[in-house]
Amino acid sequence: MNVLIVYVHPDENSLNASLKNIAVEILEEQGHEVIVSDLYAKQFKAVADKNDFTVLKNPHKFNYISEQYHAYINKTFSNDILIEQDYIAWADLVILQYPMWWSDVPAILKGWFDRVLSYKFAYGPGRYDQGNLKGKKAILSITHGGEDLSDYGDDGIKGRIDDLLFNINHEKLYYCGMDVLEPFLFPAGATEEVRLEHLKEWKLRLINLANEKPIQYRSMKSYEKTH
């Protein structure tokens, strides 16, 4: 299995770096091929703009989606986008390793979604179960600042984790056709004992990721109105 790890943290001594390194070690031990795309190390551009294209279809009236279509057909994306798209095309599984900031992804990862998961490459005209990345798997590996998951739930102050991650799992990854695995969440504020248990859990999941069943989201067809 070919595995792409999109690693998102500015510090190579961070918890996220440790989780990334563990993933590389375990997956390679299992015989998988692994590529790490370190967005901070490569200073990946977060802002989607005209500079994402070496040639503009319409330089006088800029439309980002239209330019993405033109760039996909003519291979005129900027080189940093082409590299990431080549990684995704190669990968069977994409792991997104990042810290939860303000209940969301770091801005650099939002830019990766905006710029790399482009129209015609990742979706369009097909969406959701008919997206262009159909057949690939994805999983979020996230660190959060709590001691446990008690803040996330029907009675938790932050709401349900499935709702919080819906915009990524469903509206980005599944939207592009990917099979989305249940996320892994690591409580950065936990005791050492709890942290060790979570590390053990992550290692076991990594060994068995190829066999995990994805979240069962509804198909596009199931939403079609009948007359």
PDB file of all heavy atoms in Angstrom, residues 33-52:
ATOM      1  N   GLU A  33       4.871   1.488   1.351  1.00  0.00           N
ATOM      2  CA  GLU A  33       5.690   2.610   0.892  1.00  0.00           C
ATOM      3  C   GLU A  33       5.108   3.899   1.473  1.00  0.00           C
ATOM      4  O   GLU A  33       3.894   4.102   1.423  1.00  0.00           O
ATOM      5  CB  GLU A  33       5.700   2.683  -0.636  1.00  0.00           C
ATOM      6  CG  GLU A  33       6.324   1.465  -1.316  1.00  0.00           C
ATOM      7  CD  GLU A  33       7.819   1.408  -1.121  1.00  0.00           C
ATOM      8  OE1 GLU A  33       8.447   2.483  -1.005  1.00  0.00           O
ATOM      9  OE2 GLU A  33       8.373   0.287  -1.096  1.00  0.00           O
ATOM     10  N   VAL A  34       5.961   4.761   2.007  1.00  0.00           N
ATOM     11  CA  VAL A  34       5.493   5.972   2.686  1.00  0.00           C
ATOM     12  C   VAL A  34       6.202   7.208   2.138  1.00  0.00           C
ATOM     13  O   VAL A  34       7.425   7.211   1.981  1.00  0.00           O
ATOM     14  CB  VAL A  34       5.731   5.893   4.215  1.00  0.00           C
ATOM     15  CG1 VAL A  34       5.202   7.153   4.894  1.00  0.00           C
ATOM     16  CG2 VAL A  34       5.076   4.645   4.805  1.00  0.00           C
ATOM     17  N   ILE A  35       5.416   8.239   1.851  1.00  0.00           N
ATOM     18  CA  ILE A  35       5.936   9.568   1.523  1.00  0.00           C
ATOM     19  C   ILE A  35       5.378  10.544   2.547  1.00  0.00           C
ATOM     20  O   ILE A  35       4.176  10.520   2.847  1.00  0.00           O
ATOM     21  CB  ILE A  35       5.529  10.014   0.106  1.00  0.00           C
ATOM     22  CG1 ILE A  35       6.277   9.200  -0.958  1.00  0.00           C
ATOM     23  CG2 ILE A  35       5.804  11.508  -0.098  1.00  0.00           C
ATOM     24  CD1 ILE A  35       5.860   9.528  -2.384  1.00  0.00           C
ATOM     25  N   VAL A  36       6.234  11.408   3.101  1.00  0.00           N
ATOM     26  CA  VAL A  36       5.797  12.461   4.015  1.00  0.00           C
ATOM     27  C   VAL A  36       5.878  13.797   3.302  1.00  0.00           C
ATOM     28  O   VAL A  36       6.930  14.159   2.767  1.00  0.00           O
ATOM     29  CB  VAL A  36       6.666  12.497   5.284  1.00  0.00           C
ATOM     30  CG1 VAL A  36       6.253  13.683   6.178  1.00  0.00           C
ATOM     31  CG2 VAL A  36       6.556  11.189   6.058  1.00  0.00           C
ATOM     32  N   SER A  37       4.775  14.514   3.276  1.00  0.00           N
ATOM     33  CA  SER A  37       4.755  15.876   2.755  1.00  0.00           C
ATOM     34  C   SER A  37       4.677  16.817   3.953  1.00  0.00           C
ATOM     35  O   SER A  37       3.623  16.956   4.584  1.00  0.00           O
ATOM     36  CB  SER A  37       3.569  16.095   1.816  1.00  0.00           C
ATOM     37  OG  SER A  37       3.581  17.412   1.300  1.00  0.00           O
ATOM     38  N   ASP A  38       5.808  17.440   4.290  1.00  0.00           N
ATOM     39  CA  ASP A  38       5.916  18.319   5.454  1.00  0.00           C
ATOM     40  C   ASP A  38       5.613  19.750   4.997  1.00  0.00           C
ATOM     41  O   ASP A  38       6.469  20.440   4.451  1.00  0.00           O
ATOM     42  CB  ASP A  38       7.332  18.208   6.021  1.00  0.00           C
ATOM     43  CG  ASP A  38       7.528  18.983   7.313  1.00  0.00           C
ATOM     44  OD1 ASP A  38       6.744  19.933   7.560  1.00  0.00           O
ATOM     45  OD2 ASP A  38       8.458  18.664   8.062  1.00  0.00           O
ATOM     46  N   LEU A  39       4.386  20.194   5.239  1.00  0.00           N
ATOM     47  CA  LEU A  39       3.937  21.477   4.689  1.00  0.00           C
ATOM     48  C   LEU A  39       4.712  22.662   5.257  1.00  0.00           C
ATOM     49  O   LEU A  39       5.013  23.616   4.530  1.00  0.00           O
ATOM     50  CB  LEU A  39       2.438  21.666   4.925  1.00  0.00           C
ATOM     51  CG  LEU A  39       1.508  20.631   4.274  1.00  0.00           C
ATOM     52  CD1 LEU A  39       0.049  21.109   4.378  1.00  0.00           C
ATOM     53  CD2 LEU A  39       1.866  20.359   2.828  1.00  0.00           C
ATOM     54  N   TYR A  40       5.028  22.634   6.535  1.00  0.00           N
ATOM     55  CA  TYR A  40       5.777  23.747   7.110  1.00  0.00           C
ATOM     56  C   TYR A  40       7.217  23.767   6.619  1.00  0.00           C
ATOM     57  O   TYR A  40       7.767  24.834   6.309  1.00  0.00           O
ATOM     58  CB  TYR A  40       5.741  23.698   8.637  1.00  0.00           C
ATOM     59  CG  TYR A  40       4.497  24.313   9.230  1.00  0.00           C
ATOM     60  CD1 TYR A  40       3.425  23.508   9.610  1.00  0.00           C
ATOM     61  CD2 TYR A  40       4.388  25.682   9.409  1.00  0.00           C
ATOM     62  CE1 TYR A  40       2.269  24.057  10.152  1.00  0.00           C
ATOM     63  CE2 TYR A  40       3.241  26.251   9.949  1.00  0.00           C
ATOM     64  CZ  TYR A  40       2.183  25.434  10.319  1.00  0.00           C
ATOM     65  OH  TYR A  40       1.039  25.984  10.845  1.00  0.00           O
ATOM     66  N   ALA A  41       7.846  22.597   6.515  1.00  0.00           N
ATOM     67  CA  ALA A  41       9.235  22.540   6.072  1.00  0.00           C
ATOM     68  C   ALA A  41       9.391  23.069   4.654  1.00  0.00           C
ATOM     69  O   ALA A  41      10.387  23.718   4.330  1.00  0.00           O
ATOM     70  CB  ALA A  41       9.761  21.111   6.163  1.00  0.00           C
ATOM     71  N   LYS A  42       8.400  22.793   3.821  1.00  0.00           N
ATOM     72  CA  LYS A  42       8.470  23.268   2.438  1.00  0.00           C
ATOM     73  C   LYS A  42       7.835  24.648   2.265  1.00  0.00           C
ATOM     74  O   LYS A  42       7.745  25.153   1.150  1.00  0.00           O
ATOM     75  CB  LYS A  42       7.832  22.262   1.484  1.00  0.00           C
ATOM     76  CG  LYS A  42       6.363  21.998   1.711  1.00  0.00           C
ATOM     77  CD  LYS A  42       5.786  21.003   0.702  1.00  0.00           C
ATOM     78  CE  LYS A  42       6.408  19.649   0.760  1.00  0.00           C
ATOM     79  NZ  LYS A  42       5.746  18.658  -0.123  1.00  0.00           N
ATOM     80  N   GLN A  43       7.381  25.242   3.384  1.00  0.00           N
ATOM     81  CA  GLN A  43       6.746  26.563   3.370  1.00  0.00           C
ATOM     82  C   GLN A  43       5.631  26.624   2.318  1.00  0.00           C
ATOM     83  O   GLN A  43       5.556  27.540   1.496  1.00  0.00           O
ATOM     84  CB  GLN A  43       7.788  27.654   3.127  1.00  0.00           C
ATOM     85  CG  GLN A  43       8.824  27.756   4.234  1.00  0.00           C
ATOM     86  CD  GLN A  43       9.801  28.895   4.054  1.00  0.00           C
ATOM     87  OE1 GLN A  43      10.278  29.150   2.952  1.00  0.00           O
ATOM     88  NE2 GLN A  43      10.110  29.588   5.136  1.00  0.00           N
ATOM     89  N   PHE A  44       4.762  25.636   2.398  1.00  0.00           N
ATOM     90  CA  PHE A  44       3.657  25.533   1.448  1.00  0.00           C
ATOM     91  C   PHE A  44       2.768  26.771   1.528  1.00  0.00           C
ATOM     92  O   PHE A  44       2.360  27.206   2.605  1.00  0.00           O
ATOM     93  CB  PHE A  44       2.832  24.278   1.741  1.00  0.00           C
ATOM     94  CG  PHE A  44       1.792  23.981   0.710  1.00  0.00           C
ATOM     95  CD1 PHE A  44       2.133  23.333  -0.464  1.00  0.00           C
ATOM     96  CD2 PHE A  44       0.470  24.350   0.907  1.00  0.00           C
ATOM     97  CE1 PHE A  44       1.176  23.056  -1.429  1.00  0.00           C
ATOM     98  CE2 PHE A  44      -0.496  24.074  -0.053  1.00  0.00           C
ATOM     99  CZ  PHE A  44      -0.138  23.426  -1.225  1.00  0.00           C
ATOM    100  N   LYS A  45       2.455  27.346   0.394  1.00  0.00           N
ATOM    101  CA  LYS A  45       1.653  28.570   0.328  1.00  0.00           C
ATOM    102  C   LYS A  45       0.190  28.279   0.691  1.00  0.00           C
ATOM    103  O   LYS A  45      -0.432  27.420   0.085  1.00  0.00           O
ATOM    104  CB  LYS A  45       1.739  29.189  -1.075  1.00  0.00           C
ATOM    105  CG  LYS A  45       1.028  30.543  -1.191  1.00  0.00           C
ATOM    106  CD  LYS A  45       1.407  31.225  -2.499  1.00  0.00           C
ATOM    107  CE  LYS A  45       0.732  30.604  -3.700  1.00  0.00           C
ATOM    108  NZ  LYS A  45      -0.713  30.938  -3.784  1.00  0.00           N
ATOM    109  N   ALA A  46      -0.317  29.004   1.680  1.00  0.00           N
ATOM    110  CA  ALA A  46      -1.676  28.746   2.150  1.00  0.00           C
ATOM    111  C   ALA A  46      -2.744  29.481   1.359  1.00  0.00           C
ATOM    112  O   ALA A  46      -3.908  29.080   1.358  1.00  0.00           O
ATOM    113  CB  ALA A  46      -1.794  29.116   3.628  1.00  0.00           C
ATOM    114  N   VAL A  47      -2.366  30.565   0.670  1.00  0.00           N
ATOM    115  CA  VAL A  47      -3.363  31.430   0.019  1.00  0.00           C
ATOM    116  C   VAL A  47      -3.578  30.998  -1.430  1.00  0.00           C
ATOM    117  O   VAL A  47      -2.632  30.902  -2.219  1.00  0.00           O
ATOM    118  CB  VAL A  47      -2.914  32.902   0.064  1.00  0.00           C
ATOM    119  CG1 VAL A  47      -3.921  33.784  -0.653  1.00  0.00           C
ATOM    120  CG2 VAL A  47      -2.741  33.357   1.506  1.00  0.00           C
ATOM    121  N   ALA A  48      -4.832  30.752  -1.787  1.00  0.00           N
ATOM    122  CA  ALA A  48      -5.191  30.435  -3.171  1.00  0.00           C
ATOM    123  C   ALA A  48      -5.324  31.739  -3.958  1.00  0.00           C
ATOM    124  O   ALA A  48      -6.134  32.595  -3.607  1.00  0.00           O
ATOM    125  CB  ALA A  48      -6.500  29.653  -3.215  1.00  0.00           C
ATOM    126  N   ASP A  49      -4.533  31.876  -5.029  1.00  0.00           N
ATOM    127  CA  ASP A  49      -4.574  33.109  -5.807  1.00  0.00           C
ATOM    128  C   ASP A  49      -4.061  32.866  -7.228  1.00  0.00           C
ATOM    129  O   ASP A  49      -3.851  31.715  -7.635  1.00  0.00           O
ATOM    130  CB  ASP A  49      -3.775  34.223  -5.121  1.00  0.00           C
ATOM    131  CG  ASP A  49      -2.306  33.854  -4.887  1.00  0.00           C
ATOM    132  OD1 ASP A  49      -1.787  32.969  -5.597  1.00  0.00           O
ATOM    133  OD2 ASP A  49      -1.676  34.451  -3.995  1.00  0.00           O
ATOM    134  N   LYS A  50      -3.837  33.939  -7.976  1.00  0.00           N
ATOM    135  CA  LYS A  50      -3.405  33.831  -9.370  1.00  0.00           C
ATOM    136  C   LYS A  50      -2.052  33.142  -9.522  1.00  0.00           C
ATOM    137  O   LYS A  50      -1.763  32.565 -10.581  1.00  0.00           O
ATOM    138  CB  LYS A  50      -3.346  35.222 -10.012  1.00  0.00           C
ATOM    139  CG  LYS A  50      -4.692  35.904 -10.168  1.00  0.00           C
ATOM    140  CD  LYS A  50      -4.535  37.267 -10.835  1.00  0.00           C
ATOM    141  CE  LYS A  50      -5.892  37.955 -11.013  1.00  0.00           C
ATOM    142  NZ  LYS A  50      -5.745  39.284 -11.672  1.00  0.00           N
ATOM    143  N   ASN A  51      -1.234  33.195  -8.484  1.00  0.00           N
ATOM    144  CA  ASN A  51       0.088  32.605  -8.561  1.00  0.00           C
ATOM    145  C   ASN A  51       0.072  31.081  -8.550  1.00  0.00           C
ATOM    146  O   ASN A  51       1.119  30.449  -8.697  1.00  0.00           O
ATOM    147  CB  ASN A  51       0.955  33.110  -7.405  1.00  0.00           C
ATOM    148  CG  ASN A  51       1.244  34.593  -7.515  1.00  0.00           C
ATOM    149  OD1 ASN A  51       1.499  35.097  -8.599  1.00  0.00           O
ATOM    150  ND2 ASN A  51       1.178  35.294  -6.392  1.00  0.00           N
ATOM    151  N   ASP A  52      -1.112  30.497  -8.392  1.00  0.00           N
ATOM    152  CA  ASP A  52      -1.238  29.039  -8.446  1.00  0.00           C
ATOM    153  C   ASP A  52      -1.191  28.503  -9.872  1.00  0.00           C
ATOM    154  O   ASP A  52      -1.203  27.282 -10.066  1.00  0.00           O
ATOM    155  CB  ASP A  52      -2.554  28.600  -7.785  1.00  0.00           C
ATOM    156  CG  ASP A  52      -2.556  28.860  -6.293  1.00  0.00           C
ATOM    157  OD1 ASP A  52      -1.468  29.115  -5.741  1.00  0.00           O
ATOM    158  OD2 ASP A  52      -3.648  28.815  -5.685  1.00  0.00           O
TER     159      ASP A  52
END
